[in-house]
Amino acid sequence: MSNATQNEQIVHSVSFLDRDSLTIPKLRVTNADGTVIEGATLPKIDETLAKRMYDTCVFTQVLDERMLGAQRQGRISFYMTCIGEEAAIIGSAAALDSQDVILAQYREHAALRFRGFTTEQFMDQMFSNEKDLGKGRQMPIHYGSSELNYHTVSSPLGTQIPQATGVGYSMKMNGHKNVAICYFGEGAASEGDFHAGLNMAATLKSPTLFFCRNNGYAISTPAEEQFKGNGIASRGVGYGMHTIRFDGNDMLAVLLATQAAREFAIENSVPVLLEAMTYRVGAHSSSDDPSGYRSKEEENEWREQDPVARFKTWMLAQGWLTEEEDQALYTKYREEVLAQVKVSEKVAAPELEELFNDVYDEPTPILKKQMADLKAHIKKYPESYPKTAGRIK
Ligand SMILES: Cc1ncc(C[n+]2csc(CCOP(=O)(O)OP(=O)(O)O)c2C)c(N)n1
Ligand SMILES: [Mg+2]
């Protein structure tokens, strides 16, 4: 049909659609206490995968706790935690193939860890030292790894959304049986890039998973002030995409939904929208204080629905984890993270020239002049440029 309508019904009196016209199912596999709901479909999961997922949960919790502390001590300039959203991120990362490409927003470091990013690589990025893969050019937490198929995080919201459409499309063109996965917050879904990216993906049939972490807030703006639709899932349907909503604090539901979405996207060469219903338990970032815009009661309510504790109960019930092993994991990672902080903060800063490299294959004459001017300036006023200025050859 030329005007692309489907499922039309001719009526003879006024009949509006509203946000309640669409009832969206929400997938849940485990109860809040970690027990499996009777009759629920289980995801594909074995002991090895489950242990890797739990290991990533513990590492992430330790990293978040220690690095927020390091920021408070003035050792790094900025930090963002993913407390409360571990299941949404790790459950989805665990459903992917290592050749699937991840385009993250910024709160998905657990997915990078799941892929194998080392403690040293995390720390070198946060301390912007010369071993940082990003050569010290980015704020802490803007990770990237081409080896692990993880695009570098961009600060401007929504950047990765149309890019993911392109990455997915290129996989299809090259005949790869893989997907791109694009993580974004419900706040970022207000950006124009979201609409452009999703519409392009739907019309061009790009095998991309658009994974929304609906955690209730965009810094201080609650979701109900950000948009009036039925979450983000309703928009997927609007773009003609297969869409699935699930309990984002339920590790098994996230895994099941993402496995199914991935299979569907590859088999049919189409995008899928996923909406994980979760909550940002921590502050937006180390620069934010949520006490100004939400209550402690609300936070505590969600703190009690900790997704890691829920998954742990299930792991214990499977016999794939003991309390002693759990304690040992936390101890191991606390020591490892602390030791790595001490090493990475002492590694030299990148050479100043790195600021100018990689923009073009060969620096242009203007860039070369700017570099020479900057070096001369720093040499003239060395006391104004402590070690953060980068080394000059
Ligand atoms: C284009 C743009 N506008 C505003 C900002 C400032 N900003 C950074 S994060 C953020 C909130 C994003 O919320 P959401 O997408 O829900 O992700 P969450 O932080 O909840 O994980 C805002 C407004 C930005 N980085 N880029
Ligand atoms: Mg949000």
Side-chain angles (χ1 to χ4, degrees):
M1 208 181 284
S2 65
N3 55 2
T5 54
Q6 288 113 24
N7 278 350
E8 255 183 7
Q9 183 192 12
I10 305 293
V11 293
H12 306 294
S13 57
V14 174
S15 175
F16 289 113
L17 295 175
D18 64 19
R19 58 188 254 171
D20 299 328
S21 304
L22 188 66
T23 304
I24 301 179
K26 181 160 125 184
L27 176 70
R28 180 173 288 154
V29 175
T30 60
N31 294 302
D33 65 4
T35 53
V36 174
I37 294 166
E38 219 184 298
T41 308
L42 287 172
K44 290 184 219 100
I45 186 165
D46 60 13
E47 185 173 352
T48 311
L49 179 65
K51 283 185 163 166
R52 191 170 151 206
M53 291 162 75
Y54 191 72
D55 186 278
T56 310
C57 288
V58 175
F59 173 82
T60 307
Q61 287 195 330
V62 170
L63 186 78
D64 280 356
E65 176 196 298
R66 294 283 140 142
M67 298 321 289
L68 190 61
Q71 192 280 336
R72 295 292 184 247
Q73 292 168 351
R75 292 164 107 161
I76 56 171
S77 58
F78 180 78
Y79 194 72
M80 280 178 137
T81 71
C82 68
I83 304 165
E85 296 178 60
E86 295 91 340
I89 300 157
I90 298 165
S92 51
L96 305 175
D97 177 81
S98 62
Q99 296 308 303
D100 293 339
V101 175
I102 299 178
L103 294 98
Q105 179 153 307
Y106 46 59
R107 212 180 286 288
E108 297 89 0
H109 42 290
L112 185 57
R113 176 65 177 193
F114 186 84
R115 284 264 161 116
F117 210 59
T118 65
T119 308
E120 184 179 3
Q121 287 174 317
F122 274 106
M123 233 47 84
D124 289 340
Q125 196 285 332
M126 280 185 268
F127 285 100
S128 300
N129 66 32
E130 67 175 358
K131 289 162 86 185
D132 165 28
L133 298 179
K135 304 183 183 176
R137 297 167 182 143
Q138 281 271 19
M139 285 168 73
I141 72 102
H142 290 63
Y143 311 108
S145 166
S146 43
E147 194 194 338
L148 298 176
N149 296 312
Y150 194 98
H151 278 229
T152 302
V153 168
S154 288
S155 280
L157 290 174
T159 302
Q160 78 282 16
I161 303 175
Q163 290 176 349
T165 301
V167 172
Y169 193 69
S170 78
M171 285 176 165
K172 170 172 153 169
M173 283 174 72
N174 293 328
H176 298 160
K177 292 272 176 231
N178 285 98
V179 292
I181 184 166
C182 176
Y183 289 100
F184 57 94
E186 83 298 333
S190 297
E191 285 292 326
D193 276 352
F194 169 84
H195 304 282
L198 264 74
N199 196 46
M200 273 198 298
T203 51
L204 297 173
K205 299 179 101 191
S206 163
T208 302
L209 306 184
F210 292 99
F211 191 101
C212 178
R213 291 180 293 96
N214 188 341
N215 63 9
Y217 286 90
I219 313 186
S220 56
T221 308
E224 58 268 24
E225 286 176 31
Q226 182 91 223
F227 47 81
K228 287 288 169 235
N230 185 343
I232 303 299
S234 58
R235 301 187 203 172
V237 182
Y239 284 114
M241 270 184 208
H242 273 60
T243 296
I244 185 162
R245 174 181 284 172
F246 42 92
D247 181 342
N249 286 18
D250 178 353
M251 187 72 94
L252 299 189
V254 180
L255 183 64
L256 175 64
T258 317
Q259 284 173 339
R262 182 179 185 276
E263 254 169 53
F264 188 86
I266 291 176
E267 257 168 41
N268 300 284
S269 207
V270 288
V272 177
L273 179 73
L274 301 97
E275 185 178 29
M277 303 310 290
T278 180
Y279 188 81
R280 198 199 73 212
V281 170
H284 170 71
S285 73
S286 55
S287 316
D288 174 46
D289 172 12
S291 67
Y293 56 84
R294 67 185 192 188
S295 68
K296 276 269 165 273
E297 292 74 51
E298 179 186 307
E299 283 179 14
N300 289 338
E301 231 172 79
W302 281 92
R303 222 175 268 281
E304 280 161 22
Q305 301 181 43
D306 177 28
V308 177
R310 189 160 163 188
F311 186 48
K312 178 183 157 184
T313 311
W314 182 78
M315 290 288 287
L316 292 170
Q318 297 300 112
W320 292 347
L321 180 75
T322 63
E323 288 290 356
E324 294 70 42
E325 285 166 348
D326 185 45
Q327 278 314 308
L329 258 188
Y330 277 96
T331 307
K332 176 179 109 172
Y333 283 136
R334 284 196 179 113
E335 286 169 8
E336 188 175 310
V337 166
L338 212 63
Q340 192 59 51
V341 165
K342 288 182 185 155
V343 172
S344 293
E345 70 183 348
K346 291 201 184 77
V347 175
E351 279 173 16
L352 192 71
E353 282 190 10
E354 294 294 2
L355 264 183
F356 296 86
N357 292 338
D358 304 335
V359 178
Y360 298 99
D361 190 26
E362 273 291 310
T364 59
I366 290 175
L367 275 181
K368 283 184 186 159
K369 179 171 182 323
Q370 285 179 358
M371 184 152 64
D373 287 351
L374 184 63
K375 283 183 183 173
H377 174 79
I378 291 174
K379 277 195 176 141
K380 193 168 170 190
Y381 302 104
E383 68 290 348
S384 301
Y385 293 92
K387 54 184 178 184
T388 46
R391 288 182 300 127
I392 299 179
K393 261 199 272 192

